[in-house]
Amino acid sequence: MRARVAVTLKTGILDPQGKAIEGALHGLGIEDVVSVRQGKIFDIELAVADRAAAEDSLRQACEKLLANMVIENYRIEIA
Amino acid sequence: MRARVAVTLKTGILDPQGKAIEGALHGLGIEDVVSVRQGKIFDIELAVADRAAAEDSLRQACEKLLANMVIENYRIEIA
């Protein structure tokens, strides 16, 4: 079973990396860009048959390792 | 207009960071995980009215800065 986990910064958390990218895009002449926020994707393959078990494992993975729950949100999409 | 750009490694490109995460998840007792590949997300806000202009700016942003076209693919989703 395949899944994609997206980890993004919570609203209100500063994102200096996103700000730097925004500045660089303006420097390259792409002026339409108003804001950029960066996050992470994890494409995960699981050896489980049912969706519920996959979701349980992925939730554990996010909360123990992939996301910093103080400053980040995660979203799980199972294919 | 809001968009999300996902940048992921092309198939066949080694992902040592993903491998390390996979090992760490096994170490945490999450044994169902078979493989992990890491990528990046950019949540971008654009000051354009029409979809075609947004897509054009985002494509430029990806090809000039956000993705390394030799080893990465990108996908644009306009909300």
Side-chain angles (χ1 to χ4, degrees):
Chain A
M1 195 166 278
R2 288 175 165 276
R4 171 165 281 189
V5 173
V7 175
T8 50
L9 285 172
K10 289 186 177 171
T11 319
I13 303 292
L14 284 179
D15 180 7
Q17 198 172 358
K19 271 277 164 218
I21 293 166
E22 189 186 315
L25 289 173
H26 290 169
L28 288 168
I30 305 166
E31 312 273 5
D32 314 337
V33 170
V34 178
S35 87
V36 179
R37 286 180 76 77
Q38 207 195 331
K40 285 166 279 179
I41 281 177
F42 303 94
D43 284 319
I44 300 177
E45 216 175 303
L46 294 136
V48 289
D50 75 300
R51 240 183 140 74
E55 209 173 310
D56 187 58
S57 288
L58 290 167
R59 203 170 295 279
Q60 272 188 60
C62 287
E63 289 178 15
K64 288 187 183 170
L65 186 73
L66 303 181
N68 175 350
M69 297 305 296
V70 179
I71 57 165
E72 292 172 325
N73 290 320
Y74 64 87
R75 214 184 60 197
I76 294 168
E77 282 170 38
I78 298 176
Chain B
M1 196 168 276
R2 288 175 164 277
R4 171 164 282 188
V5 173
V7 175
T8 51
L9 285 171
K10 289 186 178 172
T11 320
I13 303 292
L14 285 179
D15 180 7
Q17 199 173 356
K19 271 279 166 215
I21 293 167
E22 187 187 316
L25 288 174
H26 291 169
L28 288 168
I30 305 166
E31 311 275 3
D32 312 337
V33 170
V34 177
S35 87
V36 179
R37 285 178 78 76
Q38 209 194 329
K40 286 166 279 181
I41 282 177
F42 303 95
D43 285 319
I44 299 177
E45 216 175 304
L46 294 135
V48 289
D50 76 301
R51 237 184 143 73
E55 209 173 311
D56 186 56
S57 289
L58 290 167
R59 203 172 295 279
Q60 273 188 60
C62 287
E63 289 178 14
K64 287 187 184 169
L65 186 74
L66 303 180
N68 174 350
M69 296 305 296
V70 179
I71 57 165
E72 292 172 325
N73 291 320
Y74 65 87
R75 213 183 59 196
I76 294 168
E77 283 169 37
I78 298 176

